[in-house]
Amino acid sequence: MTGRVISTETTALKTKAAQIRMDLLQMIYDAKTGHTGGSLSNTDILTALYYRVMKIDPANPKWGDRDRFIASKGHSVESLWCILADLGFFPKEELKTFSQFGTRLIGHPNNKVPGIEMNTGALGHGLAISVGMALAAKKDGRSYRVFCLMGDGEQAEGSVWEAAMAGAHYKLDNLIGIIDRNRLQISGSTEDVMGLDPLDEKWAAFGWHVVILDGNDIEALVEAFEAVPVAEGKPTLIMANTVKGKGVSFAENVPAWHHHVPNDEQLALALAELSAVLESHQRQEGQVR
């Protein structure tokens, strides 16, 4: 699918994102474990990719010309599990087994699950894997694209910059890096832990075309993704400025929600907030049809 997102599609995507946030919170609550804040912040990014932008086929997850997605920030897998289940890569009932003994749905992407390309989680490795996949597409004359989602705290890993240099050297304009720039990591502000700014200028200096946008604006995300390649012969870096804990008022921009499980009261409050958002989007969707 290509072209500008019209209002009906935008509203439908926002509705879907609200539902995915509700699903992941319930899953984390049931499992009593999970990376809540980062999964909430990256939900809009994944919703735009999986429901609008990427060429995928849940009935044929190994389709040779599928677009590839690598979750380099693998610890924020909860939103991804919920989306893959919703799309039919595996039964939705399996979400109830998240992080339980013997499950496939562990706390990081697991390539025993359809729709997962690589096991990830050790931060700093996803982009290097993505460079290899994008280079393989070029050499094989294939048209698929490779999307790699990184955390901003992950940018302190030296291997990220080695991969960035290689991506530009091989002119991989089929490679799209995305940084979930919520400015928080488990130990606090990214700028206090290891200063990153000016992060956009650093990526540009490494030979990437950089796009800065609101990473919780689904329409802006879709437009940016569908414009790729913006610069022929250059990989693209999407700097997605997001809010950690997005969608749950008391979790937004709170470092403690990096790895926090809602209690009964918090879950009820969060689901009520998101339910109101969901209903608002559904009303809008009905009005624009």
Side-chain angles (χ1 to χ4, degrees):
M1 301 175 68
T2 58
R4 185 178 176 84
V5 185
I6 62 173
S7 56
T8 307
E9 293 173 307
T10 302
T11 305
L13 289 170
K14 290 178 179 178
T15 301
K16 181 61 68 176
Q19 184 60 64
I20 294 300
R21 285 186 167 96
M22 295 175 73
D23 291 347
L24 75 87
L25 283 168
Q26 186 68 56
M27 186 177 71
I28 289 171
Y29 172 82
D30 291 341
K32 305 305 179 192
T33 187
H35 286 83
T36 308
S39 290
L40 289 169
S41 73
N42 73 31
T43 295
D44 297 307
I45 297 169
L46 296 188
T47 300
L49 285 173
Y50 275 90
Y51 293 95
R52 166 72 190 198
V53 174
M54 291 199 306
K55 298 181 300 181
I56 53 173
D57 182 0
N60 184 15
K62 294 297 185 182
W63 172 41
D65 286 324
R66 71 191 180 280
D67 287 330
R68 273 69 165 168
F69 174 77
I70 299 294
S72 190
K73 53 172 295 185
H75 56 284
S76 295
V77 72
E78 291 82 358
S79 47
L80 180 57
W81 286 146
C82 291
I83 286 171
L84 292 178
D86 184 64
L87 288 170
F89 281 91
F90 59 86
K92 200 165 185 178
E93 294 73 25
E94 195 171 343
L95 294 176
K96 297 176 182 177
T97 72
F98 173 62
S99 284
Q100 304 304 303
F101 180 74
T103 185
R104 297 189 298 175
L105 306 184
I106 57 177
H108 289 78
N110 168 20
N111 65 3
K112 293 183 173 65
V113 181
I116 299 296
E117 302 290 345
M118 292 290 296
N119 297 337
T120 56
L123 294 172
H125 296 294
L127 188 62
I129 294 167
S130 301
V131 166
M133 289 180 169
L135 183 58
K138 290 286 189 182
K139 289 185 175 295
D140 291 343
R142 308 296 283 267
S143 62
Y144 66 80
R145 299 163 296 175
V146 183
F147 297 86
C148 178
L149 177 63
M150 298 173 280
D152 50 3
E154 183 178 357
Q155 305 304 296
E157 301 280 356
S159 52
V160 169
W161 298 100
E162 293 178 46
M165 187 163 50
H169 175 78
Y170 290 109
K171 305 183 187 309
L172 301 179
D173 52 13
N174 58 341
L175 173 62
I176 303 93
I178 310 152
I179 298 177
D180 184 0
R181 186 69 167 119
N182 58 42
R183 294 183 173 270
L184 289 175
Q185 56 192 98
I186 193 168
S187 47
S189 163
T190 56
E191 300 313 295
D192 291 337
V193 176
M194 180 63 70
L196 299 173
D197 285 332
L199 191 53
D200 57 329
E201 294 178 18
K202 292 173 182 175
W203 277 91
F206 271 68
W208 289 56
H209 179 82
V210 178
V211 178
I212 303 172
L213 50 71
D214 179 349
N216 295 126
D217 181 336
I218 285 181
E219 185 170 8
L221 286 162
V222 170
E223 289 183 359
F225 290 139
E226 292 193 335
V228 173
V230 182
E232 186 175 351
K234 274 192 174 187
T236 297
L237 189 282
I238 306 292
M239 186 84 64
N241 291 312
T242 63
V243 174
K244 196 153 190 170
K246 178 68 175 179
V248 178
S249 61
F250 52 87
E252 290 185 353
N253 290 318
V254 178
W257 278 87
H258 177 91
H259 193 289
H260 183 78
V261 177
N263 59 31
D264 292 357
E265 181 182 1
Q266 290 169 331
L267 179 67
L269 287 171
L271 292 181
E273 288 185 5
L274 288 165
S275 180
V277 172
L278 179 64
E279 291 170 5
S280 174
H281 291 326
Q282 287 174 332
R283 286 195 298 272
Q284 293 173 23
E285 193 175 352
Q287 291 168 2
V288 298
R289 285 191 186 281

